[in-house]
Amino acid sequence: MIQAIVFLPLLAALVAGLGQRAIGPFASKLVTTGALFTSCALSWPIFLSFVMGTGEAEVVTVLHWVSSGALQFNWELRVDTLTAVMLVVITTVSALVHLYSWGYMEEDPDQPRFFAYLSLFTFAMLMLVTADNLVQMFFGWEGVGLASYLLIGFWYKKPSANAAAIKAFVVNRVGDLGFMLGIFGTFLVFGTVSIPEILAAAPGMAGSTITFMGMRLDTMTILCLLLFIGAMGKSAQLGLHTWLPDAMEGPTPVSALIHAATMVTAGVFMVCRLSPMFETAPIALGVVTFVGAATCLFAATVGTTQWDIKRVIAYSTCSQLGYMFFAAGVGAYGAAMFHLFTHAFFKALLFLGAGSVIHAMHHEQDMRYYGGLRKHIPLTYWAMLAGTLAITGVGIAGVAGFAGFHSKDGILEAAFAAGGGGVIAFWVGIFAALLTSFYSWRLVFLTFYGKPRWEQSEHIQHAVHDDHGHGHDDHGHAPKADGDGTAGYHPHESPLSMLIPLGVLSLGAVFAGFIFAHPFIYPEEGKAFWAGSIAFDEHLMHLAHEVPTWVKWTPFTVMAIGLFLAWNSYIRNTTLPARFVAQFKLLHQFLYNKWYFDELYNILFVKPAFAIGRFFWKRGDEGTIDRFGPDGAAALVAGGTRLAVRLQSGYVYGYAFVMLLGLVGLASWAMVNFL
């Protein structure tokens, strides 16, 4: 069964990718979507068996892979609780994204290529999460990076899409260098790349030292930090996060797939899979906690200022990943995975909902040109509302709540219960929760409430021109509005193929947290849900369950405050945001420009890299190699050859003339020297 789950997407990708012109768009979509729904249908029984306590971990050997000295390993598919969770997350979201893309990409001429890339992406992620050794994990890790490059740059004729794809690829190579060094170091220390063998031997290496960069340092700390650098790149943590917002250049279904089910969750999965290693390195766990909390705060602050609907949700992803990492940093790996699980549903819902809005608004992504859409696209509105209720953590402690309420509150309670740096992470997470509520409800109010502001959008004006045959008149004036300021444009609901995934994901956003909270973070005695797959700390989760009442109610309180601030700013008193920006102009510019990370990296890395490249190009390639190579010695040889060709004409009189010149020269030389 596990072989079918993993390899069906690969087979579908090959069929759609290699046979796209032969089989056409419809067959390509049918094959890839059918394969993903089949994998999804096979994944859920495996997951539910672990939830009910009847599932058993197993390792399935596919083939013998590498045997080179001490380095020996097979291609094996590992199935345990952690794998089962990732299987349902990946296959469910990917299957729904495939179905959604039927409507969203309907007019694109390269649909077979797009669906082939989607399936290849899914296969690479499935390879990663079923890996039983680090090399196989790295294979999936790099496969996800390749597929993300292809998908982000899918519209390759757009310079911005190409730049975003290259940026994602390069930034992730930085993180992957750390990951590779971590794998090399792990093999050097343990003599194996088998994950079970490494985790079994890890406690015995606690306290040992290794020489690294000329210094004698703690072995497990160095290994875990190097591995975590890889996680920082894939999961867009502070410092290696800059690729994530630009990844919005890809089609919206790509954004949903990257942000909800695949690439960005790979780092969290890897840290949880190797959690017994990290448990032997408290300093490394402290770094994970700090980076996660810092990322959580950074992304939440930036999200409050963005106007692009997809960028707001993208920074939301970055922030939510920060929650997952600081949960892992304090030892609450079960809570981290629970938030990863629920986040997949409501984040995919938000991205696909945003795609439905963009579809209705003729590809306009600026929320300043929305307004009043709940009357025109009500189904999309209710889906986005469900996702917003989930991500902001709406719920009542001890009673019920949406998906994010259970998982995010579980993280915050575990961080508080952990003490030390966890308490700091708790307060950072609380403030980020307030900002999350504010920018999430800001998105809802700007998009679905208020008066329509569509007449200001160039995209809408072009749509009116295309649909009705008239654009601006000869004097540059827009067409007359229909009475509601819409300039003759009427948003329409998305097709059924896009609405069905929204409905399914809405159910997950509403019920996933309530249904699965106990298995993930409060397993019943005798039902060890996480047994053997992660380092689950039952004592910590018990303490998290017993935190003071005010700790349990604080997330709900800040959510309500964020909701009120957004309502007051964008519904009740719409002049307030402009006055705030005018009052705190420098702060707003700092946040709107994403803390100037891109500008800083441009000065520190991009410009020097271009300068070095230009130097080697002009001075090295052209000034040295070309000068003494193609333009030097080679040019001399070519010139001599041309002269020789002219001399060797083949005519007798030519040769006689040359002989005569020779005789004249010889006679002249003799006369000068002997007379």
Side-chain angles (χ1 to χ4, degrees):
M1 183 180 292
I2 186 62
Q3 296 96 320
I5 293 173
V6 173
F7 290 107
L8 275 175
L10 175 62
L11 180 61
L14 292 174
V15 171
L18 298 178
Q20 50 183 306
R21 292 187 177 181
I23 64 177
F26 179 77
S28 298
K29 293 188 290 187
L30 189 64
V31 169
T32 53
T33 306
L36 261 299
F37 271 95
T38 303
S39 291
C40 178
L42 296 175
S43 298
W44 274 95
I46 295 175
F47 170 69
L48 293 176
S49 69
F50 282 99
V51 171
M52 294 183 291
T54 59
E56 294 184 2
E58 63 173 332
V59 176
V60 178
T61 300
V62 177
L63 54 82
H64 297 291
W65 199 358
V66 172
S67 179
S68 176
L71 183 61
Q72 300 187 26
F73 55 88
N74 299 326
W75 188 343
E76 297 176 327
L77 305 178
R78 182 176 184 82
V79 182
D80 57 13
T81 307
L82 185 60
T83 305
V85 172
M86 295 303 296
L87 287 179
V88 296
V89 167
I90 296 165
T91 58
T92 301
V93 174
S94 184
L96 293 174
V97 166
H98 274 72
L99 178 59
Y100 180 93
S101 300
W102 280 56
Y104 193 87
M105 301 295 291
E106 183 179 7
E107 298 178 0
D108 197 287
D110 289 331
Q111 292 179 64
R113 179 167 63 90
F114 178 77
F115 280 85
Y117 288 169
L118 284 183
S119 295
L120 178 64
F121 201 119
T122 307
F123 163 72
M125 193 64 190
L126 290 171
M127 280 295 302
L128 193 159
V129 300
T130 56
D132 195 47
N133 61 74
L134 292 177
V135 177
Q136 185 179 331
M137 181 182 287
F138 187 72
F139 174 84
W141 194 272
E142 292 303 298
V144 169
L146 169 64
S148 67
Y149 169 79
L150 295 172
L151 285 169
I152 294 170
F154 177 75
W155 287 320
Y156 57 87
K157 294 183 180 180
K158 290 175 56 180
S160 58
N162 283 326
I166 293 172
K167 187 176 184 179
F169 198 82
V170 171
V171 172
N172 273 276
R173 296 294 71 72
V174 176
D176 292 351
L177 174 61
F179 191 41
M180 284 190 290
L181 292 175
I183 293 174
F184 298 156
T186 301
F187 176 70
L188 177 67
V189 171
F190 294 96
T192 180
V193 292
S194 170
I195 293 175
E197 293 179 17
I198 293 169
L199 300 184
M205 295 303 299
S208 64
T209 59
I210 190 174
T211 300
F212 182 74
M213 298 180 68
M215 298 176 287
R216 201 71 186 172
L217 302 171
D218 183 79
T219 302
M220 299 308 296
T221 298
I222 292 300
L223 295 181
C224 291
L225 287 178
L226 288 172
L227 293 169
F228 179 61
I229 290 173
M232 289 177 63
K234 274 291 181 287
S235 296
Q237 293 301 281
L238 190 64
L240 296 177
H241 67 280
T242 53
W243 66 270
L244 190 61
D246 291 350
M248 298 302 97
E249 289 292 338
T252 298
V254 173
S255 303
L257 197 57
I258 290 177
H259 287 249
T262 52
M263 188 167 177
V264 295
T265 61
V268 179
F269 165 82
M270 185 265 287
V271 171
C272 291
R273 170 64 83 197
L274 303 179
S275 53
M277 279 185 69
F278 281 83
E279 285 295 298
T280 65
I283 295 176
L285 284 177
V287 172
V288 174
T289 303
F290 172 78
V291 172
T295 305
C296 182
L297 177 64
F298 156 76
T301 59
V302 175
T304 60
T305 62
Q306 303 302 303
W307 293 112
D308 187 312
I309 187 172
K310 288 172 65 176
R311 281 185 179 270
V312 174
I313 304 173
Y315 279 107
S316 165
T317 297
C318 198
S319 183
Q320 298 304 309
L321 289 166
Y323 278 103
M324 299 175 205
F325 274 111
F326 81 65
V330 301
Y333 304 102
M337 288 303 303
F338 187 33
H339 197 50
L340 185 155
F341 178 78
T342 60
H343 176 263
F345 292 103
F346 61 72
K347 185 52 57 68
L349 175 61
L350 288 171
F351 263 115
L352 297 184
S356 183
V357 172
I358 295 168
H359 182 270
M361 297 303 291
H362 210 268
H363 305 293
E364 177 61 73
Q365 296 182 196
D366 194 322
M367 296 185 296
R368 287 173 291 189
Y369 304 136
Y370 290 169
L373 285 175
R374 73 184 189 279
K375 298 177 182 178
H376 298 273
I377 47 174
L379 297 178
T380 300
Y381 163 70
W382 285 109
M384 289 285 284
L385 187 62
T388 302
L389 291 168
I391 194 174
T392 56
V394 174
I396 300 175
V399 181
F402 290 83
F405 167 78
H406 293 278
S407 58
K408 187 161 65 177
D409 283 24
I411 288 176
L412 294 171
E413 291 165 10
F416 183 85
V423 177
I424 299 175
F426 166 79
W427 286 112
V428 170
I430 288 296
F431 183 62
L434 187 152
L435 297 179
T436 300
S437 178
F438 173 78
Y439 67 66
S440 297
W441 289 111
R442 170 179 176 263
L443 184 152
V444 170
F445 294 145
L446 282 172
T447 302
F448 296 104
Y449 289 83
K451 295 181 179 180
R453 301 178 294 277
W454 314 331
E455 72 280 359
Q456 305 170 29
S457 168
E458 293 184 6
H459 292 281
I460 302 303
Q461 294 301 327
H462 291 159
V464 172
H465 177 85
D466 294 340
D467 294 342
H468 303 297
H470 57 81
H472 289 74
D473 61 26
D474 294 338
H475 302 286
H477 298 300
K480 292 184 179 180
D482 286 354
D484 59 355
T486 61
Y489 186 77
H490 298 281
H492 52 85
E493 192 62 270
S494 298
L496 196 61
S497 62
M498 295 171 65
L499 293 177
I500 291 175
L502 293 182
V504 175
L505 291 169
S506 296
L507 294 176
V510 175
F511 298 111
F514 172 75
I515 294 174
F516 297 106
H518 282 284
F520 275 87
I521 55 179
Y522 307 122
E524 298 177 13
E525 189 173 348
K527 289 186 178 181
F529 182 68
W530 293 113
S533 60
I534 64 173
F536 184 75
D537 190 340
E538 293 187 19
H539 178 65
L540 175 61
M541 298 316 300
H542 176 74
L543 293 177
H545 198 54
E546 301 298 328
V547 295
T549 303
W550 68 267
V551 174
K552 294 179 178 289
W553 278 94
T554 300
F556 176 83
T557 304
V558 297
M559 180 280 301
I561 294 173
L563 170 59
F564 172 77
L565 291 175
W567 173 81
N568 188 51
S569 300
Y570 296 98
I571 298 295
R572 182 169 177 260
N573 187 1
T574 55
T575 63
L576 187 59
R579 285 185 291 148
F580 180 88
V581 170
Q583 182 71 25
F584 301 98
K585 188 174 181 179
L586 292 178
L587 175 63
H588 179 266
Q589 287 182 344
F590 179 71
L591 299 181
Y592 183 75
N593 288 285
K594 304 153 289 192
W595 293 25
Y596 291 100
F597 268 100
D598 284 307
E599 290 76 5
L600 178 64
Y601 286 179
N602 190 51
I603 295 172
L604 294 179
F605 304 115
V606 178
K607 287 184 176 180
F610 273 99
I612 294 171
R614 192 175 297 109
F615 172 82
F616 283 112
W617 169 31
K618 292 295 185 182
R619 299 294 181 86
D621 206 19
E622 292 184 351
T624 303
I625 298 173
D626 287 350
R627 180 181 178 185
F628 297 104
D631 297 334
L636 182 62
V637 171
T641 302
R642 285 193 296 271
L643 179 61
V645 168
R646 295 184 66 181
L647 291 175
Q648 299 295 331
S649 64
Y651 293 106
V652 174
Y653 63 80
Y655 296 131
F657 179 69
V658 172
M659 291 172 63
L660 179 61
L661 289 177
L663 289 172
V664 170
L666 180 62
S668 300
W669 177 81
M671 292 175 65
V672 170
N673 288 279
F674 297 105
L675 295 179

